[in-house]
Amino acid sequence: MIDITKIRAITLDLDDTLWPVWPTIGRAETALQAWLATHAPSTAVLSADAELKKAVRAEINARYSDRAHDLSFLRLQSIRALLQQAGDPQHLAEPAFEVFFAERQRVDLFDDALPALRFWSQRYPVIALSNGNADVHRVGIGQHFHASVSAQSLGVAKPDLRIFVAGAAAAGVQTHEVLHIGDDAHADCVGALAAGMQVAWLNREGHDWTHGDTRPHLEVRDLHALCASWPDYVA
């Protein structure tokens, strides 16, 4: 169990913790494809080929392996590579990416997300700690966050110890005074445990723990169950 008396701040994952990420990415891909069909039809034809697009992304990931933490950069380069291959103007890469990125911020929150955010943000500094490129302010939940630390901004991704240390620093506390909450057993839980944080694993799908004997302090199926650790929480 977590010890709430020792918590002075909360770091919180975003994708698949507060909202399901793949429906969001799917809508963003659809918006990008529609934009390309109007502004770069030849690129749209290539982009509609799932295997070709996958191969282009794999090549970009390999070429820029030192930028694996920066999903926005990799997405932009993938769009640029498709434009180049199709013979369309390269300057279209930036506006095309902005179409994708804007739609990527339109998320459908899990039902338990807002009640939990309201509850925690009234009691602690809450820090977004994400490997993704969602912007809590563009998503519309920025008022619940004290700060955001992303892999893109810091240059390292979870489970790297440095991103957890940066999250604690953003809250003005030590890592052992932080409760980290996230859905990814490896990136979130293993990383935060190594940083000395208390850890709550949000295991919505009921996956098995396969990362050794050191386990999260608490495993829950939803955020209501986690908030119930506080005696004054009312769902």
Side-chain angles (χ1 to χ4, degrees), residues 144-164:
H144 300 295
F145 288 88
H146 178 74
S148 295
V149 176
S150 69
Q152 179 180 353
S153 64
L154 194 65
V156 294
K158 296 178 293 185
D160 192 293
L161 180 68
R162 289 170 288 179
I163 195 169
F164 295 98

Side-chain angles (χ1 to χ4, degrees), residues 95-111:
F97 171 77
E98 284 304 320
V99 169
F100 173 90
F101 191 65
E103 190 66 19
R104 193 261 186 271
Q105 311 307 315
R106 191 172 68 84
V107 305
D108 295 320
L109 293 167
F110 289 120
D111 291 342

